[in-house]
Amino acid sequence: KSGTSASFVIANKSDETKEAAAYTVSAPATTITNSNGNVSLVTNNGQSVNNTISSPQGFTVSVDWNGGNSWFTIGNNFNAGSQTVKATLVNNLSNVTIKTATVTLTNKIAGGQNLTYTVAPNFQTPVVTMISNTANRLEGTTVSMIKNTSNSNLNSTITLRAKAIGGTQIGVTGGLSVTPVTTSTALETDYMVKVAYNASQSSGTITFYNKSNTAKQTKLNVTIKNNTVVYPPTNEPAIELTKFWVAPSIFTGPHSATKNCPEGWFVPDHYHFGDMVDDGAEKVAAVYCPDGQYWFANTGKSGGKYVADWPGWVSAYINGTPGWSQDSNNILNIRCIKTK
């Protein structure tokens, strides 16, 4: 029996009062001990959790996922002594069912007692980013949305990407709706939020929940204001940028915008961009280069982005100064504008 000791003495058979000192014999320990007990594992890529295990002869490891999918890796064979058993989250888990797992340490001593403990998922709040590039914007934890009470065909949306291991779901308040889905088990899901053209609300909220633990949530405050300027081809609210209204939609060809801008709208030249930049290059870049890259003329810089077509020229932004180029091979993000 593990940890049990006994003693005996050797006596003279003819005179039992004559005996040697007592001898103590202890049975070897067979138990496995866990210094950490049950643990939880944060569900962010690269996270891990350790258990310090002591055993006299070593142990093997097996995992019961309890009806879920495997969601962490762990060693399976350990030697005697103090050992660190490390559970490491599998990267980029998507569309999996994550449940508390039971880890069993099987004693290498025949008849020795085994040990079990659990690893529970510690789900995190969803991370939300803006994917669309329209008049509706996400800045920090505030979403600004545009309605137009006089246009029943208004198409005023924002697309937000929610990322969380365990899946996500979304909830919105009055005046807002969501398409095409409101819940997903995927690691990343894009949700399109639309404001009603005649919404009576001037504010609201958009809340993203971790589908596996709805107590973990990200709440965005929404402001809703009325805007009478709508881009005719798409019925989307125009983007307000300095003293111009900018189309929320772009043209893919370098010269198509010149002849396709609706009445009252036109393609900006480098002078117009100069006016925009005067009010803040960051604001212009947020519309024309949402990935954070500034745009450049044909100066040999890699990754340059050209943003406007003007009879044979391309308006560009060069190191903080408006400029232009005749290179039309890489023109993109061409938008019609309208003067306020």
Side-chain angles (χ1 to χ4, degrees):
K1 185 176 180 179
S2 176
T4 299
S5 62
S7 61
F8 64 92
V9 296
I10 299 175
N12 188 305
K13 186 174 182 180
S14 300
D15 183 357
E16 292 183 355
T17 61
K18 300 293 196 304
E19 61 182 30
Y23 293 87
T24 300
V25 179
S26 298
T30 62
T31 57
I32 303 173
T33 60
N34 179 359
S35 300
N36 306 95
N38 298 326
V39 293
S40 63
L41 176 55
V42 173
T43 55
N44 280 338
N45 286 346
Q47 294 294 310
S48 61
V49 64
N50 295 332
N51 282 76
T52 302
I53 308 296
S54 296
S55 70
Q57 294 296 325
F59 55 91
T60 58
V61 179
S62 60
V63 181
D64 184 351
W65 303 105
N66 294 319
N69 303 107
S70 59
W71 55 278
F72 60 82
T73 59
I74 194 169
N76 58 14
N77 191 7
F78 292 84
N79 296 323
S82 179
Q83 301 287 341
T84 297
V85 179
K86 184 177 184 178
T88 302
L89 191 77
V90 175
N91 285 336
N92 299 318
L93 290 168
S94 186
N95 294 312
V96 299
T97 301
I98 300 176
K99 295 185 176 182
T100 297
T102 302
V103 178
T104 299
L105 310 181
T106 300
N107 204 322
K108 289 184 178 179
I109 297 176
Q113 187 177 3
N114 299 330
L115 181 69
T116 63
Y117 65 90
T118 59
V119 179
N122 182 359
F123 294 106
Q124 302 299 291
T125 57
V127 176
V128 181
T129 54
M130 180 177 67
I131 301 304
S132 56
N133 190 17
T134 66
N136 300 312
R137 314 293 295 179
L138 168 64
E139 294 184 1
T141 58
T142 299
V143 175
S144 301
M145 300 201 72
I146 305 296
K147 65 180 178 179
N148 187 319
T149 55
S150 62
N151 188 340
S152 60
N153 294 319
L154 182 71
N155 181 30
S156 182
T157 65
I158 186 171
T159 301
L160 301 171
R161 176 169 294 171
K163 179 178 181 179
I165 292 174
T168 56
Q169 60 189 60
I170 185 175
V172 297
T173 52
L176 305 173
S177 59
V178 183
T179 187
V181 297
T182 58
T183 184
S184 171
T185 59
L187 176 66
E188 292 183 344
T189 301
D190 293 346
Y191 298 92
M192 180 182 288
V193 180
K194 183 175 183 178
V195 61
Y197 82 98
N198 59 350
S200 60
Q201 296 83 359
S202 60
S203 63
T205 58
I206 302 172
T207 306
F208 291 93
Y209 305 88
N210 190 305
K211 184 177 175 66
S212 297
N213 182 355
T214 55
K216 299 297 179 70
Q217 54 188 255
T218 299
K219 180 175 288 188
L220 306 176
N221 296 314
V222 180
T223 61
I224 304 172
K225 68 176 183 178
N226 196 53
N227 177 8
T228 57
V229 180
V230 173
Y231 187 55
T234 61
N235 279 310
E236 296 176 88
I239 301 171
E240 187 174 5
L241 194 61
T242 64
K243 60 184 181 182
F244 302 103
W245 295 106
V246 179
S249 301
I250 64 174
F251 291 91
T252 55
H255 300 287
S256 61
T258 304
K259 60 184 179 181
N260 287 318
C261 286
E263 184 178 356
W265 297 73
F266 57 92
V267 175
D269 60 27
H270 59 283
Y271 296 110
H272 297 117
F273 272 95
D275 291 339
M276 294 182 192
V277 171
D278 285 344
D279 193 50
E282 293 79 10
K283 295 179 181 179
V284 183
V287 173
Y288 282 94
C289 297
D291 59 4
Q293 292 190 49
Y294 283 74
W295 51 97
F296 304 96
N298 188 19
T299 57
K301 295 180 181 295
S302 60
K305 291 194 171 183
Y306 304 92
V307 296
D309 178 48
W310 183 56
W313 297 82
V314 178
S315 182
Y317 184 68
I318 313 171
N319 296 332
T321 304
W324 52 90
S325 166
Q326 284 186 306
D327 184 354
S328 62
N329 294 322
N330 294 313
I331 304 173
L332 52 78
N333 214 343
I334 304 168
R335 296 170 183 260
C336 301
I337 69 171
K338 179 179 181 179
T339 304
K340 287 185 179 178

